[in-house]
Amino acid sequence: HVSTGGWPFSTSAHGWPISDCTSEGLKGTIRLLSCECIKTLDPQPFTDQRLFDAANVILTLQNSDGGWATYENNRGFGFYEWMNPSEVFGDIMIDYSYVECSSASMTALAQFQERYPNHRTSEVKGAIARGVSFVKSIQRQDGSWYGSWAVCFQYATWFGVEAIRAGGLPRSDPSILKAVAFVLRSQNDNGGWGESYRSCVDKAYDGKEESCFGTGSSGVVQTSWALLTLMAAEVSKPNEVQAVERGMKFLMAMQQPDGDWDQEGITGVFNRSCGITYTAYRNVFPIWALGRYAEWKEHCQKA
């Protein structure tokens, strides 16, 4: 598969580009190129062609179902899992389309199109539109999405909402309203959200207190994801605003005097059953949510 212009999961020596790594790399580069300190550099660190190459990698990684997988295009069938030789990992026989990879690819293409509106315009628009159809097709009846790369439904629902918004759909779209309803229903009494890694294994939402790690069954990472979902949906109704405010108070109350947050339970996962502790999550996502909160407050005041 074409690799020129892509970003891998590791260093460039790894050489195997991934859809969401390429997408996040492209978005980060576009954001950097808008900074005044970068604009004044001569020569420019990134040529247009390098960004065109990155967009090409993303476009060519889209599957026939409209979604994006990780390393490669889908080239098999789900029944291959019957021959899975692993005693530990699930869903590993082929590369599936994921809501996370699809969302990252769609948001990257949307930002790329904003910067380069005349470059492969119809292809980019078509890819995003097919992506929206795919993301909508895998949304669950309760409004959530199943997450394959973190724990689990709160995480994936954030990606689902971001993907649909990247497709230009309004916050009143039924898929977004269902997602918001799911998040609101799962908020805990202390204002936070939590979820057990069993959600990944069982493919069913598990927010029960006895199964969660955190304070009052709430964790700062899942709380951040839930808040990012609500703010991406641009919620503005009184009960929705109250939910965001309660969640933010929980996040701030859990912050330590030195600015850090405690390491809580497992929030990362690979291949359905391999739990991973990403120590940066406890800082990255709360800070992200706090930053997005300022933008959301401005939106609410205008609504």
Side-chain angles (χ1 to χ4, degrees), residues 168-194:
L169 278 68
R171 59 183 179 177
S172 58
D173 184 85
S175 293
I176 293 179
L177 296 179
K178 286 174 62 178
V180 168
F182 164 75
V183 174
L184 294 177
R185 285 196 308 271
S186 51
Q187 189 173 26
N188 292 321
D189 292 339
N190 61 8
W193 284 263

Side-chain angles (χ1 to χ4, degrees), residues 9-297:
F9 190 64
S10 180
T11 63
S12 58
H14 180 272
W16 197 351
I18 306 177
S19 62
D20 58 345
C21 295
T22 299
S23 298
E24 299 303 333
L26 177 57
K27 287 190 287 186
T29 302
I30 290 175
R31 180 61 62 90
L32 285 172
L33 291 175
S34 67
C35 298
E36 292 300 324
C37 60
I38 302 297
K39 290 180 180 178
T40 58
L41 294 178
D42 188 20
Q44 282 288 289
F46 271 84
T47 62
D48 288 344
Q49 186 59 51
R50 292 182 69 178
L51 301 189
F52 295 165
D53 289 340
N56 182 60
V57 170
I58 298 170
L59 288 170
T60 56
L61 280 173
Q62 188 172 28
N63 286 320
S64 59
D65 63 5
W68 279 262
T70 57
Y71 291 92
E72 60 185 8
N73 296 103
N74 181 290
R75 56 189 69 190
F77 304 94
F79 72 80
Y80 289 7
E81 295 299 337
W82 299 345
M83 297 173 281
N84 184 344
S86 171
E87 294 182 356
V88 179
F89 304 122
D91 302 335
I92 63 171
M93 295 299 286
I94 61 174
D95 208 356
Y96 300 89
S97 291
Y98 301 101
V99 65
E100 301 100 309
C101 295
S102 300
S103 179
S105 299
M106 293 164 62
T107 52
L109 288 175
Q111 292 183 29
F112 175 83
Q113 186 176 55
E114 185 176 345
R115 183 176 178 87
Y116 300 105
N118 299 318
H119 183 80
R120 300 175 67 172
T121 306
S122 61
E123 293 178 71
V124 173
K125 286 184 177 180
I128 295 173
R130 291 192 300 275
V132 169
S133 296
F134 166 75
V135 170
K136 283 193 166 192
S137 73
I138 62 171
Q139 186 179 24
R140 296 196 168 200
Q141 286 298 316
D142 67 356
S144 70
W145 281 267
Y146 174 75
S148 298
W149 305 109
V151 182
C152 174
F153 288 94
Q154 297 295 347
Y155 173 74
T157 301
W158 170 37
F159 280 92
V161 170
E162 292 278 11
I164 292 173
R165 295 310 306 272
L169 278 68
R171 59 183 179 177
S172 58
D173 184 85
S175 293
I176 293 179
L177 296 179
K178 286 174 62 178
V180 168
F182 164 75
V183 174
L184 294 177
R185 285 196 308 271
S186 51
Q187 189 173 26
N188 292 321
D189 292 339
N190 61 8
W193 284 263
E195 190 172 355
S196 168
Y197 80 96
R198 293 297 313 181
S199 291
C200 304
V201 179
D202 300 333
K203 293 190 175 182
Y205 180 69
D206 188 346
K208 295 182 295 184
E209 183 173 355
E210 61 268 26
S211 302
C212 291
F213 302 89
T215 300
S217 77
S218 297
V220 296
V221 176
Q222 270 108 4
T223 296
S224 300
W225 291 333
L227 288 168
L228 287 165
T229 300
L230 295 175
M231 291 185 285
E234 295 184 350
V235 296
S236 59
K237 295 179 180 178
N239 66 311
E240 299 167 344
V241 171
Q242 184 183 39
V244 174
E245 297 290 358
R246 290 175 60 219
M248 293 304 304
K249 288 179 180 178
F250 173 82
L251 268 191
M252 292 186 286
M254 295 300 294
Q255 189 176 26
Q256 302 302 305
D258 63 357
D260 198 0
W261 280 269
D262 282 339
Q263 184 65 45
E264 298 172 334
I266 294 172
T267 52
V269 71
F270 259 58
N271 306 125
R272 189 172 173 181
S273 58
C274 180
I276 301 175
T277 296
Y278 291 114
T279 56
Y281 274 22
R282 72 176 193 263
N283 297 117
V284 170
F285 291 109
I287 292 172
W288 196 335
L290 288 165
R292 182 72 65 86
Y293 176 74
E295 298 177 357
W296 173 80
K297 285 289 287 186

